[in-house]
């Protein structure tokens, strides 16, 4: 099966990285900037909304890690394919940063946010750091999607 791109046909197997990047960016956008704010708007109790938001951010973090790893594997497979192999290195820092941000959010910051009130830690500090990590993952997904959608194989 092929897809027409401009005046050329492109095999569908060469387009799956764009789909992965689009899902990564779309889910991150939907969960982080639509679903989570709606939770806090519609639940009367911030503790209930916070618990639900934590679950959604957990899904989003793991999606970032999985999408980045899939795209890293794709980039590795591109080695030896001439210009496509060299160009795939352009995504390497963005993919590593997106995966790292997801892991730090999941294993470092999320627990601190959930326990900040009980431990006396600064909820504002940890919430701000968590928000920054979400935005960083969103930017990494956007950069990956932008680059992949514009590439020519």
């Amino acid at each position: 099966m092929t897809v027409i791109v401009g005046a050329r046909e492109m095999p569908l197997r060469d387009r799956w990285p764009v789909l992965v990047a689009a899902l990564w960016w779309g889910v991150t956008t939907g969960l982080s900037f639509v679903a989570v704010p709606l939770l806090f708007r519609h639940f009367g109790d911030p503790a209930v909304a916070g618990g639900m938001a934590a679950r959604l951010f957990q899904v989003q973090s793991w999606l970032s890690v999985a999408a980045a790893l899939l795209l890293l594997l794709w980039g590795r497979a591109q080695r030896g394919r001439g210009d496509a192999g060299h160009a795939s290195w352009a995504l390497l820092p963005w993919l590593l940063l997106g995966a790292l941000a997801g892991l730090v959010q999941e294993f470092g910051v999320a627990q601190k946010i959930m326990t900040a009130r009980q431990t006396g830690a600064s909820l504002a500090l940890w919430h701000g750091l968590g928000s920054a990590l979400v935005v960083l993952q969103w930017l990494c997904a956007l950069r990956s999607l932008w680059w992949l959608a514009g590439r020519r194989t």
Side-chain angles (χ1 to χ4, degrees), residues 39-40 45-56 114:
L39 285 174
F40 284 95
D45 184 3
V48 173
M52 295 290 290
R55 290 187 183 123
L56 292 178
M114 295 302 290

Side-chain angles (χ1 to χ4, degrees), residues 134-149:
V134 167
V135 170
L136 182 59
Q137 291 170 72
W138 182 82
L139 288 171
C140 291
L142 177 62
R143 177 63 181 117
S144 300
L145 176 59
W146 197 272
W147 186 86
L148 287 164

Side-chain angles (χ1 to χ4, degrees), residues 74-75 78 81-92 147 151-152:
W74 167 81
Q78 297 304 303
R81 290 189 68 193
D83 289 341
H86 294 297
S88 67
W89 284 101
L91 278 184
L92 183 65
W147 186 86
R151 79 181 173 91
R152 303 287 181 234

Side-chain angles (χ1 to χ4, degrees), residues 47 50-55 109-119 123 126:
M52 295 290 290
R55 290 187 183 123
V109 176
Q111 188 63 29
K112 296 289 188 180
I113 292 172
M114 295 302 290
T115 61
R117 291 185 192 202
Q118 292 88 11
T119 62
L123 180 61
W126 290 108

Side-chain angles (χ1 to χ4, degrees), residues 15-101:
R15 301 306 288 171
W16 73 263
V18 178
L19 178 60
V20 169
L23 287 171
W24 181 16
W25 181 78
V27 170
T28 301
T29 300
L31 291 179
S32 302
F33 304 121
V34 178
V36 169
L38 284 174
L39 285 174
F40 284 95
R41 188 170 196 186
H42 290 288
F43 281 105
D45 184 3
V48 173
M52 295 290 290
R55 290 187 183 123
L56 292 178
F57 282 128
Q58 184 178 38
V59 168
Q60 185 257 317
S61 292
W62 283 112
L63 174 68
S64 289
V65 172
L69 288 177
L70 279 172
L71 293 172
L72 283 168
L73 290 171
W74 167 81
R76 177 143 169 75
Q78 297 304 303
R79 275 202 228 167
R81 290 189 68 193
D83 289 341
H86 294 297
S88 67
W89 284 101
L91 278 184
L92 183 65
W94 296 98
L95 298 174
L96 291 175
L97 190 58
L100 181 62

